[in-house]
Coordinates of all heavy atoms in Angstrom, one line a residue:
N452 N -6.8 12.2 16.9 CA -7.6 13.0 15.9 C -6.5 13.8 15.2 O -6.9 14.4 14.2 CB -8.8 13.6 16.2 CG -8.6 14.8 17.2 OD1 -7.4 15.1 17.6 ND2 -9.7 15.4 17.6
D453 N -5.3 13.9 15.6 CA -4.3 14.7 14.8 C -3.9 13.9 13.6 O -3.2 14.4 12.8 CB -3.1 14.9 15.7 CG -2.4 13.6 16.3 OD1 -3.0 12.8 16.6 OD2 -1.1 13.6 16.2
R454 N -4.1 12.5 13.6 CA -3.7 11.7 12.5 C -4.8 10.9 12.0 O -4.6 10.2 10.9 CB -2.5 10.8 13.0 CG -2.9 9.9 14.0 CD -1.6 9.3 14.7 NE -0.9 10.3 15.6 CZ -0.2 10.0 16.7 NH1 0.0 8.7 17.0 NH2 0.2 11.0 17.5
V455 N -5.9 10.9 12.7 CA -7.1 9.9 12.3 C -8.2 10.8 12.2 O -8.6 11.5 13.2 CB -7.4 8.8 13.3 CG1 -8.6 7.9 12.8 CG2 -6.2 7.8 13.5
D456 N -8.9 10.8 11.0 CA -10.1 11.6 10.8 C -11.3 10.8 11.3 O -11.5 9.6 10.9 CB -10.3 12.0 9.2 CG -9.2 12.9 8.8 OD1 -8.6 13.6 9.7 OD2 -9.0 13.1 7.6
I457 N -12.3 11.5 12.0 CA -13.3 10.7 12.7 C -14.6 11.2 12.2 O -14.9 12.5 12.1 CB -13.2 10.9 14.2 CG1 -11.8 10.4 14.8 CG2 -14.4 10.3 14.8 CD1 -11.7 10.9 16.3
F458 N -15.5 10.3 11.6 CA -16.8 10.8 11.1 C -17.9 9.9 11.8 O -17.6 8.7 11.9 CB -16.8 10.6 9.5 CG -15.7 11.5 8.9 CD1 -14.5 11.0 8.6 CD2 -16.3 12.7 8.3 CE1 -13.6 11.8 7.9 CE2 -15.4 13.6 7.6 CZ -14.1 13.1 7.5
T459 N -19.1 10.6 12.3 CA -20.0 9.8 12.7 C -21.3 9.9 11.9 O -21.6 11.1 11.2 CB -20.3 10.3 14.1 OG1 -20.7 11.8 14.1 CG2 -19.3 10.2 15.0
G460 N -22.0 8.8 11.8 CA -23.3 8.9 10.9 C -23.6 7.5 10.5 O -22.8 6.6 10.7
H461 N -24.7 7.5 9.9 CA -25.2 6.0 9.5 C -24.5 5.5 8.4 O -24.1 6.3 7.4 CB -26.7 6.2 9.0 CG -27.3 5.0 8.3 ND1 -27.3 3.8 9.0 CD2 -27.5 4.7 7.0 CE1 -27.8 2.8 8.2 NE2 -27.9 3.4 7.0
L462 N -24.0 4.3 8.4 CA -23.1 3.6 7.5 C -24.0 2.8 6.6 O -24.9 2.0 7.0 CB -22.1 2.7 8.3 CG -21.0 3.4 8.9 CD1 -20.1 2.4 9.7 CD2 -20.0 4.1 8.0
E463 N -23.9 2.9 5.3 CA -24.6 2.4 4.3 C -23.6 1.5 3.4 O -22.5 2.2 2.9 CB -25.3 3.3 3.4 CG -26.1 2.6 2.2 CD -26.7 3.6 1.3 OE1 -26.8 4.8 1.6 OE2 -27.1 3.2 0.3
G464 N -23.8 0.2 3.2 CA -22.9 -0.5 2.4 C -22.0 -1.6 3.2 O -21.2 -2.2 2.6
T465 N -22.2 -1.6 4.6 CA -21.4 -2.6 5.3 C -22.3 -3.0 6.6 O -23.3 -2.0 7.0 CB -20.1 -1.8 5.8 OG1 -19.5 -2.9 6.8 CG2 -20.5 -0.6 6.7
T466 N -22.1 -4.1 7.0 CA -22.9 -4.6 8.2 C -22.4 -4.1 9.5 O -22.9 -4.3 10.5 CB -22.9 -6.1 8.2 OG1 -21.6 -6.7 8.2 CG2 -23.7 -6.7 7.0
A467 N -21.0 -3.6 9.3 CA -20.4 -3.1 10.6 C -21.0 -1.8 11.2 O -21.3 -0.9 10.3 CB -18.9 -2.8 10.4
T468 N -21.0 -1.6 12.4 CA -21.5 -0.4 13.1 C -20.3 0.7 13.1 O -20.5 1.9 13.4 CB -22.1 -0.6 14.4 OG1 -21.2 -1.3 15.3 CG2 -23.4 -1.4 14.2
A469 N -19.0 0.3 13.0 CA -18.0 1.2 13.1 C -16.7 0.5 12.4 O -16.6 -0.8 12.4 CB -17.5 1.5 14.6
L470 N -16.0 1.4 11.7 CA -14.8 0.8 11.0 C -13.5 1.6 11.2 O -13.9 2.9 11.2 CB -15.0 0.6 9.6 CG -16.1 -0.4 9.1 CD1 -16.4 -0.2 7.6 CD2 -15.5 -1.8 9.3
L471 N -12.4 1.2 11.4 CA -11.1 1.9 11.5 C -10.5 1.6 10.2 O -10.2 0.3 10.0 CB -10.2 1.6 12.7 CG -9.0 2.3 12.8 CD1 -9.1 3.8 13.1 CD2 -8.2 1.7 14.0
V472 N -10.3 2.5 9.3 CA -9.8 2.3 7.9 C -8.4 2.9 7.8 O -8.1 4.0 8.1 CB -10.7 2.9 6.8 CG1 -10.2 2.6 5.5 CG2 -12.1 2.5 7.0
R473 N -7.4 2.0 7.4 CA -6.0 2.4 7.1 C -5.9 3.3 6.0 O -6.8 3.1 5.0 CB -5.2 1.2 7.0 CG -5.1 0.2 8.1 CD -4.4 -1.1 8.0 NE -3.6 -1.2 6.9 CZ -2.7 -2.3 6.7 NH1 -2.4 -3.0 7.8 NH2 -2.1 -2.4 5.5

Side-chain angles (χ1 to χ4, degrees):
N452 70 2
D453 64 314
R454 67 199 73 152
V455 178
D456 291 342
I457 302 169
F458 295 89
T459 59
H461 171 67
L462 285 172
E463 178 187 347
T465 178
T466 59
T468 56
L470 291 170
L471 181 63
V472 183
R473 302 175 1 164

